[in-house]
Amino acid sequence: MLKNLTGSALAGALGGFNAHASNIVSAVYIATGQDPAQNIESSHCITMMEAVNDGKDLHISVTMPSIEVGTVGGGTQLASQSACLNLLGVKGANREAPGSNARLLATIVAGSVLAGELSLMSAISAGQLVNSHMKYNRSTKDVTKASS
């Protein structure tokens, strides 16, 4: 709650209180040929987590009121992006139920965000985020001594 709500509010977040929804939305959008600029509206997300069943379980939810996706046209026709949409079972238009592929893709985006939020918050809670960044993302090479 402190990270997602208070932290986001103090950071001046507009459109959501979450750990990193925009990172996940951007990744899925690029992979599926969506317009990456739509990340702005589509990343509006409120992530809620609360202990339930006397603290034995965690209830997590994401509310994303404006996920803008399409399954036809534009970047969805690029080879890799088309293959990804096909893999997800949402490529092209659904003739029997117009709009259903886009609705399913929006659900996949939200599910991906939920998984990403849970993963990041777990890493933060377990104290693993900083350790993993230090281990895998930080160079031990002294870059102040440039070699020619």
Side-chain angles (χ1 to χ4, degrees):
M1 296 293 276
L2 289 175
K3 162 64 178 108
N4 286 342
L5 301 182
T6 307
S8 294
L10 288 172
L14 299 173
F17 298 94
N18 57 77
H20 70 149
S22 65
N23 292 341
I24 307 302
V25 171
S26 290
V28 175
Y29 274 28
I30 291 167
T32 60
Q34 307 304 304
D35 180 353
Q38 299 306 93
N39 180 24
I40 307 271
E41 296 87 356
S42 299
S43 292
H44 287 206
C45 175
I46 297 176
T47 300
M48 298 295 292
M49 297 181 189
E50 67 177 309
V52 295
N53 298 328
D54 296 320
K56 295 178 186 159
D57 296 310
L58 176 68
H59 181 268
I60 177 172
S61 66
V62 293
T63 302
M64 301 180 73
S66 183
I67 300 175
E68 299 175 13
V69 293
T71 59
V72 296
T76 67
Q77 298 175 41
L78 298 170
S80 295
Q81 287 72 10
S82 180
C84 185
L85 290 168
N86 193 46
L87 180 71
L88 295 171
V90 296
K91 181 180 174 186
N94 184 320
R95 305 259 184 240
E96 292 79 37
S100 64
N101 282 354
R103 281 189 295 278
L104 180 55
L105 181 55
T107 301
I108 291 167
V109 170
S112 300
V113 168
L114 186 131
E117 293 285 279
L118 180 58
S119 176
L120 178 59
M121 295 308 295
S122 297
I124 291 171
S125 297
Q128 298 170 344
L129 184 65
V130 172
N131 291 339
S132 65
H133 273 76
M134 296 307 292
K135 183 175 181 180
Y136 298 111
N137 292 342
R138 303 290 188 255
S139 174
T140 56
K141 183 178 178 182
D142 186 354
V143 294
T144 62
K145 297 178 181 176
S147 60
S148 306

